[in-house]
Every structure is written in structure tokens, then in C-alpha cells.
Amino acid sequence: MPVPKKEALHGWGYTPVADCLAWRPEKQRDLTDILRKDGPKLARGMGRSYGDCSLQPGGVVRMERLNHFIEFDRRRGMIRAQAGVTLAELMEVSIPLGWIPASIPGTSSVTLGGAFACNVHGKNQYREGDFAEHVQSIRLLLPDGEIMDCSPTHNREIFWTTAGGMGMTGIIEEVTLRLKPIASSSLNTTTYRVESLAEMIEAFDEYRDGSDYMVGWIDHMAQGDDIGRGIFEAASHIDTESGGAPLAAYKPQKSGINIPFFLPGFTLNRYSMALYNQFRFRKYSPWRKTEKKGFHNFFHPLDRIGNWNRLYGKRGFFQYQCLFPDSPDIVSHIHTFLSALHDKYLFSFLAVIKYHRRSKGLLTFSQAGYSIALDFPNTRQVRSVLPQLNHWIAEHGGRIYLAKDAVLSADLFRVMYGKAAQDFESVIDQLDPDAKFTSLMSKRLEWKRRE
């Protein structure tokens, strides 16, 4: 059994950093022995969630060494693997054989267990739903030491509580995932500039039925009548006859640039980012540009920059992702939200908009509507404004994505997630009455009363 060590751990945003007692098991049977040790526990993958959901000072079980493939049905596209396998490792194996994960988040450096526990989503959420909808089963080590197989039809309640449950039901040991067939390692993309938020929403409406993926980038440095302008991109899978690269040509992505140390806090500022945003916006025209792109360029452009989170300096940053329910007033709601940030002199260095459909799971983030993901440096002003934004989002029927959250209050969590929050807490109270599995997030959101 491995010996635990004290480690300073953090999410991808470095907000917060916590000294944690950490285990690094190399064998699956070690997990049961670790669970028997006194103190709280929490499974952790690659640490690519942004806030405090993967932090537990009393005991973190780091899963990255439990990364072995167990079984791959190449005919049906079904793969069974240990929870520590990353999407990058999975795609390296599956894509040359004609299969790809149906739901791919913005980084490939996320484990299968972490993807399920956070119920991640991608640029095709409106079409394929969230990650958990493609999971056939999980093998779960429960708080009492029992090992349980769960699926959408077997131990269903625990399955959907674990999906998006942020590790509160136990340790995910294995994941069986259904993959999506593909005929090449390329996408056909259409990219063009939109001059307003209304045009951006119109683009999503136009391409929704005919594209496999959609995403929008918003120039949040723009002000006045230009608020909401940006770049819209749609993409679809193609075969080799249409010019797609052969499946065998797929290679794992390597970092082209590495950020070896924290940059000074003033490097990314309102003025330097305004210039960058202006350049990116002017790079495209209103005319629709069609081109073929490889998977890395479309799915994971930031993975090419190693440790890009260090660009924000030692204080780190907050990635804030909120969802606005679909309605006839959706353009007005998002415009008001973005304008309010400007009124507070807050400008996001990166702003991404996606369309969602309602998904499954008790704590699923996705509802029918639009999500906005924003990056803010960790400053006193930002920390004071984010709770105000949360109140505004709650008042308008929206919600915050927990995998990126670090500031949501317990009361507003219950407002945003409603009855689902009550049902979730009821299940985990029954499953883990002694609060064996907890985190800094669960303490902040008061999920387990005994912790």
C-alpha cells in the first residue's frame, strides 16, 4: 500500500491552493486499504477542474497511476478502462481504429473518472448531451467499502447521483464507455465573424440541425454597441473521400509552447488583452470560411500551450461558467449580463458561448439554453463581484457549473438546482452517513451536515 505524503494541491485555476495528505495508488486493490484509513477521503484525477471540488486536506486519492485499459470491443466501440485513463490516452488508442468519445471537453488531460464525476460536456452538448450519457457502467467503491456496479438501468439512482456528484458517492474505479464511429481524423469547419450578440445566437440557430459541433468566441473587451460580437464556428465529421485525413494519421498532441514559470500578474491586463481580442476578431471576416481541421486544433487548442494557467500569475484565476435558460429574451439576458460586467470594470480575457440541451443526472449543469464561460484574474474586485453575479444568475433561473466554481454559496446552490439539490443530498446522506467522502466544495455548499 502506498504511503501518503503532504502535497500542495490546487485546481487548474490555482484558486484555492490547499495542503493535502495525498495517496498515489498503483494497484486497484490499494483503494480499499486506503479507504480503511481514518479521516475524510476524495478521489482526484488530473486536477483539471478549476476550483475546490478536487481538494480535501484530510486525504486525496490521486488516481492518475490507475490508467490501464481492460477491454476494447472494436466492433461495437465499447471500451472499459480504469478511471485514471485520460481522454488523450483513450483517443490515442481509439481514433486510429475509427472511434472517438462522443462528448469531448476543452482539454484532453482529464481522466474518465473525473469526466464522469464532473459530467463534463463539449461543443456538441446540444446534440450528444453530457459525458455520462455515453457511459454504459461504472465500478464504484462505496464509502462502506462495498464495490458496486452501476449503470443507467442497474443501481440507477447511484449511477446518476455519481454523474456530476463531484466524488461524494465514493471512488470510481472503472468506466465502460460507448464511443462514436468516425471515418477520418478531420472535421469540416465553417468560421465567420458576427457583429453582435443577436447575430451570434442566430448563427447557433442556423447551424444547430446540420452541424456536429458549434462554439462561439466573444470579444468581451468590446464595449457599447459592440458587446457580444465575436467569432462563430461550426464543424462536422467527414470521411477521407471528402478530404479528411486518414484515421492512421492521428497522433497524440504535444505542447508546442510551455510556460515554465508564473508570469508577473501585470502581463495579462485589460490593455494587452484588448489588443489580442481586437486582433482575433479582425482575423476573420463576415464571409464564411470553410476549411478542414484536425481534432487537436478544434477540440483542444489550449492543450498546445503547456501550463497555460501560469499566464495569470501566482494568484491564479477564476473560470466562471453560467447557463442562461432558453427564452425569447435570451439575447437581452446575456447582453445585460455582459454589460453589467463592464459596469463593474470586469473584462474576461477569454469568453466562450455554447448551446445546450437538457441532460441527465441529478446535478447536471446542462439545461436548454446557452452557457457563457469567462476567465477572470484572482483579484479582490473579482472576488467581490462573483457572488453578485451568482445572485443575478439565480434570479434569472440559471445555474453555475460546479466543476469550475469556487465561490457559490450553499443557499444559492439550492436555489439554482432546486429539488435536484434536495434529492442529491438525500442520496449521499444515505450512502455516506459518516461523511467519509468530502471536499472543500462539499463543505462550502454544506452537502454533508456531519463533515
Side-chain angles (χ1 to χ4, degrees):
M1 177 178 153
V3 177
K5 296 181 180 179
K6 279 284 187 179
E7 297 184 31
L9 298 178
H10 51 80
W12 193 244
Y14 284 95
T15 50
V17 179
D19 289 327
C20 300
L21 188 66
W23 280 268
R24 289 176 179 263
E26 296 188 3
K27 299 179 181 179
Q28 203 159 302
R29 62 174 177 267
D30 292 337
L31 297 174
T32 302
D33 294 333
I34 292 171
L35 187 58
R36 292 194 183 105
K37 298 294 183 180
D38 293 335
K41 301 292 183 297
L42 180 70
R44 173 185 167 101
M46 298 298 291
R48 295 305 292 262
S49 54
Y50 283 79
D52 56 2
C53 67
S54 66
L55 301 178
Q56 170 50 267
V60 168
V61 184
R62 304 193 62 169
M63 300 289 289
E64 64 260 38
R65 293 179 180 173
L66 297 177
N67 63 339
H68 297 94
F69 293 96
I70 301 171
E71 183 181 5
F72 189 7
D73 184 334
R74 301 181 184 184
R75 182 180 62 84
R76 297 192 300 153
M78 299 283 289
I79 193 158
R80 179 178 163 221
Q82 290 182 317
V85 169
T86 65
L87 285 183
E89 293 167 337
L90 171 59
M91 293 166 70
E92 182 179 357
V93 170
S94 70
I95 289 177
L97 298 174
W99 300 95
I100 195 171
S103 179
I104 301 176
T107 176
S108 62
S109 297
V110 59
T111 64
L112 298 184
F116 188 80
C118 295
N119 202 6
V120 300
H121 58 267
K123 299 170 184 176
N124 61 347
Q125 200 288 332
Y126 66 99
R127 182 176 292 276
E128 298 285 358
D130 296 333
F131 183 84
E133 294 185 46
H134 305 279
V135 173
Q136 295 296 101
S137 66
I138 60 170
R139 186 176 176 87
L140 183 67
L141 177 60
L142 298 173
D144 63 3
E146 177 187 354
I147 294 176
M148 177 180 288
D149 292 321
C150 306
S151 75
T153 57
H154 182 65
N155 295 315
R156 182 178 183 275
E157 183 179 53
I158 295 178
F159 179 89
W160 288 115
T161 303
T162 304
M166 302 299 165
M168 294 299 100
T169 61
I171 299 176
I172 301 169
E173 293 189 348
E174 298 174 8
V175 175
T176 301
L177 183 67
R178 182 180 66 253
L179 304 174
K180 175 180 178 178
I182 51 174
S184 80
S185 58
S186 298
L187 296 163
N188 196 48
T189 65
T190 300
T191 311
Y192 62 99
R193 189 171 80 200
V194 296
E195 302 292 342
S196 67
L197 182 61
E199 284 188 30
M200 180 73 77
I201 300 302
E202 288 174 2
F204 278 98
D205 289 341
E206 178 182 349
Y207 281 87
R208 188 180 306 173
D209 294 333
S211 297
D212 292 332
Y213 306 90
M214 297 188 298
V215 66
W217 167 81
I218 292 176
D219 176 10
H220 193 236
M221 299 293 170
Q223 302 184 54
D225 294 338
D226 291 331
I227 288 179
R229 73 181 188 181
I231 307 299
F232 174 81
E233 186 172 22
S236 293
H237 287 281
I238 56 175
D239 55 28
T240 53
E241 294 181 356
S242 301
L247 294 168
Y250 177 83
K251 302 295 181 185
Q253 177 159 278
K254 297 181 180 179
S255 297
I257 304 173
N258 184 58
I259 310 299
F261 49 80
F262 290 103
L263 268 62
F266 59 79
T267 304
L268 294 186
N269 58 59
R270 175 178 171 183
Y271 304 103
S272 63
M273 292 308 298
L275 289 173
Y276 166 76
N277 278 257
Q278 180 75 2
F279 169 78
R280 185 171 182 179
F281 180 73
R282 296 300 175 189
K283 180 180 177 181
Y284 294 91
S285 76
W287 303 106
R288 306 186 184 197
K289 179 180 180 180
T290 300
E291 59 183 329
K292 296 172 180 62
K293 287 188 178 182
F295 292 158
H296 298 314
N297 287 341
F298 182 78
F299 292 123
H300 307 127
L302 283 177
D303 281 357
R304 291 177 294 182
I305 306 175
N307 298 308
W308 64 263
N309 52 347
R310 294 176 179 171
L311 293 169
Y312 287 86
K314 289 184 178 180
R315 290 182 298 180
F317 69 102
F318 297 96
Q319 183 163 112
Y320 183 87
Q321 187 170 11
C322 56
L323 185 135
F324 300 83
D326 210 352
S327 76
D329 298 320
I330 187 67
V331 173
S332 175
H333 287 166
I334 297 177
H335 193 280
T336 299
F337 176 78
L338 296 176
S339 299
L341 291 174
H342 284 192
D343 293 341
K344 300 287 185 180
Y345 294 99
L346 292 187
F347 298 87
S348 174
F349 296 160
L350 179 68
V352 174
I353 182 171
K354 294 194 289 283
Y355 181 70
H356 296 244
R357 67 164 170 80
R358 181 172 178 79
S359 193
K360 299 178 181 179
L362 282 181
L363 294 191
T364 179
F365 167 71
S366 295
Q367 306 288 309
Y370 290 85
S371 72
I372 303 284
L374 306 163
D375 283 358
F376 299 112
N378 180 13
T379 66
R380 180 182 301 177
Q381 182 187 19
V382 168
R383 292 194 299 273
S384 68
V385 170
L386 290 185
Q388 300 175 40
L389 299 183
N390 288 342
H391 277 281
W392 194 91
I393 294 295
E395 290 173 359
H396 288 78
R399 55 182 50 179
I400 301 300
Y401 186 32
L402 298 179
K404 298 181 178 180
D405 172 59
V407 299
L408 185 64
S409 69
D411 290 341
L412 284 181
F413 162 73
R414 290 170 176 82
V415 172
M416 291 178 180
Y417 284 82
K419 185 177 182 301
Q422 299 177 23
D423 293 342
F424 172 76
E425 293 181 72
S426 176
V427 173
I428 61 175
D429 280 346
Q430 296 175 33
L431 203 60
D432 189 14
D434 298 322
K436 188 75 172 180
F437 287 92
T438 61
S439 66
L440 293 185
M441 170 174 277
S442 72
K443 182 177 182 179
R444 172 166 54 86
L445 298 181
E446 299 177 2
W447 280 347
K448 297 188 177 182
R449 305 296 182 177
R450 298 188 184 184
E451 63 175 314

